[in-house]
Amino acid sequence: MASKKDNLTAVLYGIEDLRLEQRPIPVPKDDEVLLEMDCVGICGSDVHYLVAGRIGDFIVKKPMICGHEAAGIVAKLGANVKSLKVGDRVAIEPGYGCRVCEYCKAGDYNLCPDMIFCATPPCDGNLTRYYTHPADFCYKLPDHVTMEEGALLEPLSVGVHACRRAGVGLGSHVLVLGAGPIGLVTLIVAKQMGADKVLITDLLQNRLDVAKELGADETFLIPKDISEPELVKLIHDRMGCAPDKTIDCSGVAATVRLSFLATKPGGCSVIVGMGAAEVKVPLVTALVREVDVRGVFRYCNDYPAALSLVASGKINVKRLITHHFNIEETAEAFNTARHGLGGAIKVMIHVQPKDKNNPK
């Protein structure tokens, strides 16, 4: 068990330079809580910063603490905090806005130009033993919900936001491109929101096998050396129709193009995955068929819905977790996530002993 003087922290100094070091234990501001971190999931963005040192205009220019998919225990309250108490188990929504700009006031705080988001340069993350965060962006977990499920509310909220942006509802026919963690949570949210049929694609059969376990109506392993028209036809044939909602959770050029081409006239294409800054797409094909194209940037006001889905038992996000490491094994954890070793989907780092704070 960590001592109060132990604040072991995972810090990214630059490309391929991830270090474990001791940092001072932070002091919560009046509206914050000090959290004793329990577990932190590794996201694709964490890996991308390690490998490339940047995502778009977000560039690692100074040492940055990793991690944003997290849950912890309230260890100390700021002077004004009344909503939580010491000992509460909480999930952490890692991004919050300035609260005063036009976007924050309209409720679209994910678009705030001064957004603070864990482990997005220049902001530090929470892969550390002790971390401070605004109390109103910490969500108390019901007694029966595990800390790992709390950490997974972060990617799950992306799936909720994506499905809301797509307008998924009763009877929707949904095509999900990519069966990584975000594709898989999008699949299970779409089913809970009433989608009649969800087909999910990937290049790896093991991920499609998991998708089937999670309720995919159809899975599709994308063949090699196939033309776009042939691929679109095969997907339509497998679904029995053209999808009215396509959600691209990959972001590579091929799937962005496919989302435009496969969606039915009058349907909606939502792009979640972030790949290259510029991609060549068949735009006119989408325009003449009035396909709506929408972007997704993280989530906004979606944590409560994600928590409700988990707490109600309607979805099982624990199936996504394939590997467990402790914080001292952070380098090995990142290597596992980076290379998909052992069929890795979601790699979880335990800052405290596994199951210490879970329901008995």
Side-chain angles (χ1 to χ4, degrees), residues 7-65:
N7 193 29
L8 191 63
T9 303
V11 184
L12 181 65
Y13 276 76
I15 295 174
E16 306 292 358
D17 188 1
L18 178 61
R19 310 179 196 176
L20 287 176
E21 62 186 37
Q22 290 290 343
R23 287 287 183 97
I25 295 175
V27 177
K29 298 176 183 176
D30 288 350
D31 295 316
E32 293 181 338
V33 290
L34 175 67
L35 298 167
E36 188 174 3
M37 299 303 297
D38 182 280
C39 59
V40 182
I42 297 180
C43 173
S45 66
D46 296 318
V47 173
H48 203 78
Y49 283 123
L50 173 65
V51 173
R54 67 184 296 166
I55 296 177
D57 293 331
F58 298 106
I59 305 170
V60 179
K61 297 180 179 179
K62 64 181 183 65
M64 177 185 77
I65 299 173

Side-chain angles (χ1 to χ4, degrees), residues 117-164:
F117 198 92
C118 290
T120 297
C123 307
D124 282 327
N126 48 33
L127 183 47
T128 178
R129 295 208 192 276
Y130 291 95
Y131 167 76
T132 56
H133 200 72
D136 59 329
F137 277 79
C138 295
Y139 294 82
K140 185 176 178 179
L141 297 175
D143 291 342
H144 65 283
V145 174
T146 67
M147 301 302 286
E148 291 85 355
E149 288 173 308
L152 288 173
L153 293 187
E154 200 280 337
L156 182 59
S157 292
V158 177
V160 171
H161 195 61
C163 288
R164 284 175 164 173

Side-chain angles (χ1 to χ4, degrees), residues 174-175 177 197-202 217-243 258 261-263:
V174 182
L175 170 63
L177 301 173
K197 181 173 288 187
V198 179
L199 182 147
I200 187 166
T201 71
D202 205 87
D217 297 288
E218 297 286 349
T219 62
F220 186 82
L221 184 66
I222 295 182
K224 296 180 180 179
D225 302 321
I226 187 172
S227 69
E228 283 182 334
E230 290 176 308
L231 182 55
V232 170
K233 183 178 186 305
L234 286 173
I235 289 173
H236 289 177
D237 288 346
R238 180 69 63 87
M239 290 193 75
C241 62
L258 184 58
L261 295 168
T263 306

